[in-house]
Amino acid sequence: MRTTILLLVGIFLSHCTEKASDQGESTVVDFEVERTAIQAVIAKETEAYYKQDFEEWKSTYLQSPVFRKFGYWEGYENKVVSYIGFESLASEKKSQFDANETLWQGSVEERSNENIRISNDMAWYTFEQNSYEKDTRKFLGKSLETRILEKDNGIWKIAYPAFHYYPMAAEQ
């Protein structure tokens, strides 16, 4: 009886593995390779933003109606921003880049307390970020950041960026 159960479990697991393979899914994630790719796309997005390179910046995002972005910063008129679908964000950023109105151009970001969870086609990445002026190292702000990424044709894309800046008074 025990042998029969083990045989049935083995057949079932074998079938599950075959099904995953048939659907193009991998059951093993190379964490270091994927982590490096995720951190690279985050760095690419930040660099493209400060260079105001719209096409490069846009290439880091999941350009889809399922895209979401939420954030809080005291510097915003209404404190909170939200975007539902990528087109609304892309339109605003294109205008911002064309008018040379990017905030904190050339700043330096330092990330700490990083946490990355990765599955086959989705990942989430949280971190704290301190921003400084490049030349003077003047502190600009500290934020809690979240990025949810999806693979689009095998390439990591940002599907959900979120940020929450600490009030400046709390940092002084």
Side-chain angles (χ1 to χ4, degrees), residues 54-134:
F54 181 73
E55 293 302 319
E56 186 78 2
W57 171 85
K58 187 171 93 170
S59 75
T60 64
Y61 285 95
L62 184 66
Q63 298 169 34
S64 164
V66 302
F67 173 88
R68 300 291 189 266
K69 178 178 179 175
F70 304 119
Y72 172 85
W73 179 51
E74 286 186 338
Y76 291 135
E77 182 178 336
N78 294 320
K79 310 293 185 228
V80 174
V81 296
S82 68
Y83 299 89
I84 307 299
F86 182 73
E87 282 308 310
S88 62
L89 176 64
S91 175
E92 181 178 304
K93 290 302 175 192
K94 177 75 170 124
S95 296
Q96 184 185 52
F97 289 2
D98 289 348
N100 194 27
E101 295 176 345
T102 304
L103 297 174
W104 300 354
Q105 288 185 28
S107 67
V108 174
E109 282 67 41
E110 294 176 355
R111 295 183 180 109
S112 62
N113 296 322
E114 297 172 293
N115 183 41
I116 300 177
R117 302 290 296 169
I118 303 170
S119 65
N120 291 324
D121 293 323
M122 290 195 79
W124 60 273
Y125 177 30
T126 59
F127 51 92
E128 292 180 32
Q129 181 170 279
N130 288 332
S131 298
Y132 303 91
E133 284 184 354
K134 182 178 180 178

Side-chain angles (χ1 to χ4, degrees), residues 27 29 35 42 44 50 62 65 89 103 105 116 147 161 165:
T27 56
V29 172
R35 179 183 61 80
I42 302 300
K44 179 180 175 182
Y50 290 127
L62 184 66
L89 176 64
L103 297 174
Q105 288 185 28
I116 300 177
R147 302 293 183 276
Y165 276 86

Side-chain angles (χ1 to χ4, degrees), residues 148-160:
I148 298 175
L149 298 96
E150 290 186 29
K151 278 196 176 174
D152 184 31
N153 293 319
I155 298 171
W156 288 110
K157 302 286 183 167
I158 302 166
Y160 172 81

Side-chain angles (χ1 to χ4, degrees), residues 11-31:
I11 291 170
F12 175 75
L13 290 175
S14 171
H15 179 69
C16 289
T17 303
E18 288 172 16
K19 282 296 234 184
S21 297
D22 292 345
Q23 296 172 2
E25 297 177 18
S26 171
T27 56
V28 177
V29 172
D30 186 332
F31 183 81

